[in-house]
């Protein structure tokens, strides 16, 4: 070939080569913004009347709103695991909500999936899938940078002494846990903005699991959002909550404005969603589902049953939007049925990444951009599956089966005629129930969690919520010394089955000073025989102060010689009871003087406390203080010694 023809051929073929092998820069960016605990109907674009969300409203008009894109789980850490790994909660490694349960070392996340394609990857907010020094930290799962909270207990404070950046502490000036000078969300948001700006010339994945409005309902009085609500006729926590949502909405607007400023708006797919179902905060006689109507349609009054922590629809419904100018047609609404595991395969298809073969999710790209543009029809799920804390739920089309915690009986609902799950059809439709429960059995496999190499820094992070990060802590749980008030305990670990323990099958909880019902930490957990469940005093929507009391009916008069206390068995110490009083009485309403008054050890082992033999049918356990000097009390199991 003559030289000039060679040059001409090269010039003609160059554009075709560019199309066949697109540059890294042509790959789309992906931003996922996840609001912590935002209720389904709370934002204005979902019909909410109380809270202003102008930027999210605009994002909806510029993109697509999903009415039926469900969370991966009903609580914080497990739902994030479903999102990150593309698996439903029958296959994930994080199914407990203790705060720092780790991903396994070999698990692929959205970030690690994108790294081979040259993506910059950053996370900013609440991780929840592995505390420091575990196999689950974000920098071991594909993230170049993660700034925020690794443990979700740490995330309950907006004024912690420090945040975590790639497992190292970033000091926040003037903070002491319950207050301070540096509002953590501002720091997290600014870091996210910087990451986007710094990586504007290469493809990036920005995961923004922002903490507002969850945790302490706390926002600086100087924030512009507070001025909109400070005089509303609601409780102060309800006003603070609303202001936090509007503040977050402003930050969403800042992210979208930055994309336009950088000239990458049309090359960036942006998602926004809640993380799990709303908690029905700020209830009253007038507003039994909460002042902001998380799970009750503000106009029609139709309610979704349940809330955060349950696997009825109200525990899983989240607001969900996607925006991609030039790709997603504006102003669309879809009833497509999906959930968090679908995000990973969608991002894989959008970017050309290779997704793991064992995903439970299905790409929703055809729904986002149209089947013609995607090149294939939208696939549909055979079923959606969830499990958490003893609950199990499965949905196929409009049919939904639920097995609540503490129950062996499945319930069945037809959402086509009963969206509120009020009419149990289990007896009327046994064939449909059998079909769904068989699928649920198939969907579950035993959990395999990640591991910690040490736990002292993880425990330090959990204490930082209260500004107590300098309290010394060993890397292993402290063993009980087995003594209280001069009395020796049996061997650690044996006390719950030791001789002399009364059977508890006829016991009942008579009353409790408070319980955190929002995440299934009921008082009955203290006597249910399961050490993995616990009673936790109220902290959702306001903290109940001590003393904390639990009154138990033993079912008949007994000769009581003491009790056994077992503290919470997860990695946390929050609520570990210290000073207690123990009463025995013939009346549930009259307890004269304690038969034992002791200080319990800070221990994960059972602790036996003896008292003079005392006859009575009713027991009062009164917690006066906890080892972390806070206002809570927790009991995993409580047993009575006697005849």
């Amino acid at each position: 070939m003559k030289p000039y023809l060679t040059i001409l051929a090269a010039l003609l073929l160059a554009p075709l080569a560019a199309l066949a092998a697109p540059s890294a820069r042509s790959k789309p960016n992906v931003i996922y913004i996840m609001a912590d605990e935002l209720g389904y109907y709370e934002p204005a674009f979902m019909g909410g009347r109380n809270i202003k969300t102008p930027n999210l409203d605009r994002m909806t008009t510029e993109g697509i709103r999903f009415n039926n894109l469900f969370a991966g789980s009903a609580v914080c850490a497990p739902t994030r695991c479903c999102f990150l790994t593309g698996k439903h909660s029958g296959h994930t490694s994080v199914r407990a909500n203790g705060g720092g349960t780790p991903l396994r070392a070999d698990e692929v996340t959205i970030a690690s999936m994108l790294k081979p394609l040259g993506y910059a990857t950053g996370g900013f907010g609440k991780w929840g899938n592995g505390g420091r020094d575990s196999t689950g930290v974000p920098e071991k799962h594909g993230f170049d940078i993660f700034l925020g909270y690794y443990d979700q207990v740490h995330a309950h404070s907006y004024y912690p002494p420090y945040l975590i950046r790639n497992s190292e502490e970033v000091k926040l000036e003037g903070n002491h846990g319950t207050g301070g000078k540096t509002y953590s969300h501002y720091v997290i948001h600014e870091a996210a903005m910087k990451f986007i700006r710094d990586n504007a010339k290469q493809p990036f994945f920005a995961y923004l699991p922002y903490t507002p409005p969850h945790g302490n309902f706390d926002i600086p009085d100087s924030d512009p959002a507070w001025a909109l609500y400070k005089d509303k006729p609601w409780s102060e926590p309800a006003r603070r909550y609303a202001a936090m949502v509007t503040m977050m909405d402003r930050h969403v607007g800042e992210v979208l404005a930055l994309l336009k400023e950088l000239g990458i708006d049309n090359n960036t797919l942006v998602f926004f969603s809640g993380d799990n179902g709303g908690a029905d905060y700020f209830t009253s006689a007038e507003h039994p589902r909460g002042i902001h109507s998380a799970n009750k349609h503000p106009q029609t009054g139709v309610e979704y049953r349940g809330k955060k922590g349950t696997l009825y629809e109200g525990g899983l419904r989240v607001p969900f939007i996607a925006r991609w100018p030039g790709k997603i047609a504006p102003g669309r609404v879809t009833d497509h049925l999906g959930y968090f595991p679908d995000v990973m395969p969608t991002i894989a298809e959008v970017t050309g990444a290779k997704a793991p073969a064992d995903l439970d999710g299905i790409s929703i790209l055809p729904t986002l951009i149209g089947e013609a543009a995607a090149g294939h029809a939208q696939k549909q799920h055979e079923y959606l599956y969830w499990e958490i804390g003893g609950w199990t739920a499965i949905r196929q089309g409009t049919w939904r089966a639920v097995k609540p915690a503490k129950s062996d009986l499945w319930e069945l609902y037809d959402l086509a005629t009963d969206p509120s799950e009020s009419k149990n059809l289990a007896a009327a439709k046994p064939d449909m129930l059998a079909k769904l429960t068989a699928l649920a059995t198939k969907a579950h496999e035993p959990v395999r969690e990640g591991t910690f190499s040490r736990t002292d820094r993880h425990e330090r992070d959990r204490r930082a919520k209260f500004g107590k990060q300098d309290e010394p802590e060993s890397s292993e749980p402290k063993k009980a010394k087995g003594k209280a008030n001069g009395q020796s305990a049996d061997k650690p670990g044996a006390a719950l089955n030791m001789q002399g323990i009364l059977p508890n099958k006829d016991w009942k909880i008579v009353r409790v000073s408070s319980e955190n019902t929002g995440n299934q930490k009921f008082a009955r957990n203290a006597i249910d025989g399961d050490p993995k469940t616990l009673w936790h005093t109220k902290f959702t929507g306001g903290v109940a102060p001590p003393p904390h009391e639990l009154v138990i009916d033993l079912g008949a008069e007994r000769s009581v010689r003491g009790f056994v206390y077992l503290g919470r068995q997860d990695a946390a110490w929050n609520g570990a009871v210290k000073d207690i009083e123990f009463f025995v009485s013939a009346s549930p309403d009259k307890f004269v003087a304690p038969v034992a008054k002791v200080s319990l050890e800070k221990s994960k082992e059972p602790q036996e406390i003896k008292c003079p033999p005392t006859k009575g049918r009713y027991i009062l356990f009164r917690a006066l203080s906890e080892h972390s000097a806070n206002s809570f009390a927790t009991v995993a199991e409580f047993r009575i010694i006697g005849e």
Side-chain angles (χ1 to χ4, degrees):
M1 185 180 290
K2 294 181 179 180
Y4 71 88
L5 292 177
T6 302
I7 295 171
L8 179 60
L11 291 173
L12 292 173
L13 291 173
L16 296 177
L19 288 174
S23 67
R25 177 57 270 164
S26 69
K27 291 185 180 298
N29 310 306
V30 180
I31 299 176
Y32 196 105
I33 307 170
M34 183 183 292
D36 196 341
E37 211 158 278
L38 181 65
Y40 184 70
Y41 283 125
E42 289 176 343
F45 70 85
M46 291 299 296
R49 294 174 171 175
N50 290 352
I51 303 175
K52 299 178 185 299
T53 54
N55 294 290
L56 290 172
D57 300 348
R58 187 175 70 252
M59 185 177 171
T60 304
T61 62
E62 294 173 349
I64 183 172
R65 187 189 84 201
F66 284 73
N67 287 335
N68 294 304
L69 204 299
F70 289 83
S73 185
V75 285
C76 299
T79 198
R80 283 162 171 74
C81 187
C82 293
F83 166 82
L84 286 164
T85 65
K87 299 176 183 178
H88 64 53
S89 50
H91 294 153
T92 50
S93 56
V94 180
R95 303 181 208 178
N97 202 41
T101 304
L103 292 165
R104 298 189 306 275
D106 60 347
E107 289 188 271
V108 178
T109 69
I110 295 172
S112 60
M113 176 184 74
L114 293 176
K115 285 304 294 178
L117 277 65
Y119 274 73
T121 53
F124 306 90
K126 184 169 83 174
W127 176 246
N129 279 276
R132 285 201 283 175
D133 304 305
S134 77
T135 57
V137 292
E139 64 268 24
K140 291 183 179 179
H141 287 277
F143 284 91
D144 299 326
I145 176 177
F146 192 98
L147 174 71
Y149 307 91
Y150 281 20
D151 181 274
Q152 64 199 47
V153 172
H154 187 193
H156 286 176
S157 169
Y158 289 94
Y159 292 96
Y162 60 85
L163 292 172
I164 304 298
R165 183 184 188 276
N166 288 22
S167 287
E168 299 303 324
E169 296 171 16
V170 177
K171 187 176 181 181
L172 301 184
E173 291 294 334
N175 287 1
H176 50 80
T178 56
K181 297 180 180 179
T182 307
Y183 191 62
S184 64
H185 176 66
Y186 291 166
V187 176
I188 289 168
H189 174 63
E190 286 305 316
M193 296 284 281
K194 183 178 186 300
F195 173 83
I196 294 170
R197 190 180 295 277
D198 290 348
N199 292 284
K201 295 183 179 180
Q202 70 176 100
F204 65 82
F205 169 56
Y207 172 42
L208 280 53
Y210 281 170
T211 47
H214 184 40
N216 295 331
F217 305 132
D218 205 345
I219 185 173
D221 288 354
S222 59
D223 192 284
W226 175 238
L228 301 175
Y229 302 97
K230 64 184 181 67
D231 297 322
K232 293 290 184 181
W234 314 323
S235 67
E236 181 170 347
R239 285 179 277 141
R240 297 276 176 188
Y241 180 96
M244 293 171 79
V245 175
T246 297
M247 171 193 67
M248 180 193 58
D249 174 86
R250 182 180 76 241
H251 290 160
V252 171
E254 291 176 2
V255 169
L256 298 180
L258 179 60
L259 298 178
K260 291 184 178 180
E261 175 193 325
L262 297 171
I264 58 174
D265 193 34
N266 289 350
N267 197 42
T268 306
L269 170 59
V270 182
F271 294 97
F272 173 88
S273 77
D275 70 333
N276 50 242
D280 288 358
Y281 282 132
F282 323 117
T283 59
S284 65
E286 184 181 0
H287 301 286
R289 297 306 302 271
I291 187 70
H292 300 315
S293 199
N295 289 303
K296 180 178 179 180
H297 195 293
Q299 281 78 44
T300 67
V302 173
E303 299 183 22
Y304 289 117
R305 184 176 179 180
K307 55 185 178 179
K308 174 186 176 179
T310 76
L311 290 186
Y312 293 115
E313 290 262 303
L316 295 164
R317 282 192 169 269
V318 293
F320 193 101
I321 315 168
R323 175 187 181 272
W324 192 0
K327 303 292 194 303
I328 295 176
R332 292 172 54 216
V333 178
T334 178
D335 290 326
H336 173 77
L337 183 62
Y339 57 169
F340 274 10
D342 297 339
V343 176
M344 187 179 196
T346 302
I347 293 175
E349 186 172 8
V350 165
T351 62
K354 183 179 180 180
D358 60 347
L359 300 190
D360 296 307
I362 294 172
S363 172
I364 58 171
L365 185 61
T367 299
L368 292 177
I369 66 174
E371 293 183 345
H376 61 90
Q378 175 63 63
K379 294 181 180 179
Q380 304 295 327
H381 283 281
E382 181 184 6
Y383 59 83
L384 307 183
Y385 176 83
W386 300 270
E387 62 177 71
I388 181 69
W391 287 79
T392 308
I394 187 165
R395 176 170 173 171
Q396 187 175 62
T398 63
W399 286 98
R400 199 168 191 281
V402 183
K403 186 173 75 65
K406 313 300 181 188
S407 174
D408 295 326
L409 299 178
W410 282 86
E411 302 165 4
L412 179 67
Y413 302 99
D414 182 3
L415 301 179
T417 58
D418 180 25
S420 298
E421 296 174 282
S422 61
K423 301 172 184 176
N424 184 1
L425 301 177
K429 299 285 186 179
D431 292 345
M432 176 58 68
L433 182 62
K435 177 184 177 183
L436 292 181
T437 55
L439 289 172
T441 300
K442 180 182 176 182
H444 169 79
E445 66 180 23
V447 65
R448 294 180 295 126
E449 298 175 350
T451 59
F452 280 86
S453 61
R454 52 187 280 196
T455 60
D456 54 325
R457 294 203 301 173
H458 172 57
E459 294 293 345
R460 171 181 167 85
D461 296 344
R462 295 170 72 86
R463 293 191 301 273
K465 170 185 175 180
F466 305 101
K468 299 178 181 294
Q469 76 277 11
D470 293 326
E471 179 183 335
E473 185 70 57
S474 68
S475 61
E476 296 296 330
K478 182 179 177 182
K479 298 294 183 180
K481 295 179 180 178
K483 294 182 179 180
N485 243 11
Q487 300 291 342
S488 297
D490 259 10
K491 295 178 181 179
L496 290 180
N497 298 310
M498 61 183 284
Q499 187 175 4
I501 294 292
L502 296 178
N504 65 342
K505 64 183 182 68
D506 296 324
W507 293 9
K508 295 179 181 178
I509 300 294
V510 177
R511 66 176 181 274
V512 60
S513 55
S514 78
E515 57 184 1
N516 206 65
T517 58
N519 55 358
Q520 314 307 303
K521 296 184 177 179
F522 300 111
R524 65 172 178 264
N525 290 341
I527 59 172
D528 67 352
D530 184 355
K532 294 181 180 179
T533 63
L534 59 90
W535 165 49
H536 195 302
T537 55
K538 184 175 180 290
F539 59 81
T540 300
V543 174
H548 301 294
E549 297 185 342
L550 191 63
V551 177
I552 302 169
D553 178 3
L554 302 180
E557 184 181 82
R558 304 290 187 182
S559 178
V560 175
R561 295 187 286 104
F563 69 90
V564 176
Y565 166 84
L566 181 68
R568 62 190 301 167
Q569 296 297 291
D570 55 18
W573 292 104
N574 181 2
V577 177
K578 183 180 180 183
D579 297 313
I580 66 97
E581 293 178 336
F582 178 66
F583 300 77
V584 181
S585 175
S587 166
D589 303 311
K590 187 176 181 181
F591 294 92
V592 180
V595 294
K597 188 173 182 179
V598 299
S599 291
L600 298 172
E601 300 272 355
K602 184 180 180 182
S603 171
K604 300 292 186 186
E605 297 293 335
Q607 298 180 62
E608 177 190 353
I609 308 300
K610 294 183 179 179
C611 69
T614 307
K615 288 189 176 182
R617 174 171 174 166
Y618 299 95
I619 300 297
L620 167 60
F621 175 80
R622 176 181 291 159
L624 305 174
S625 66
E626 66 157 303
H627 280 279
S628 298
N630 296 307
S631 299
F632 308 117
T634 61
V635 179
E637 285 300 311
F638 188 79
R639 290 289 178 269
I640 298 300
I641 306 167
E643 295 87 21

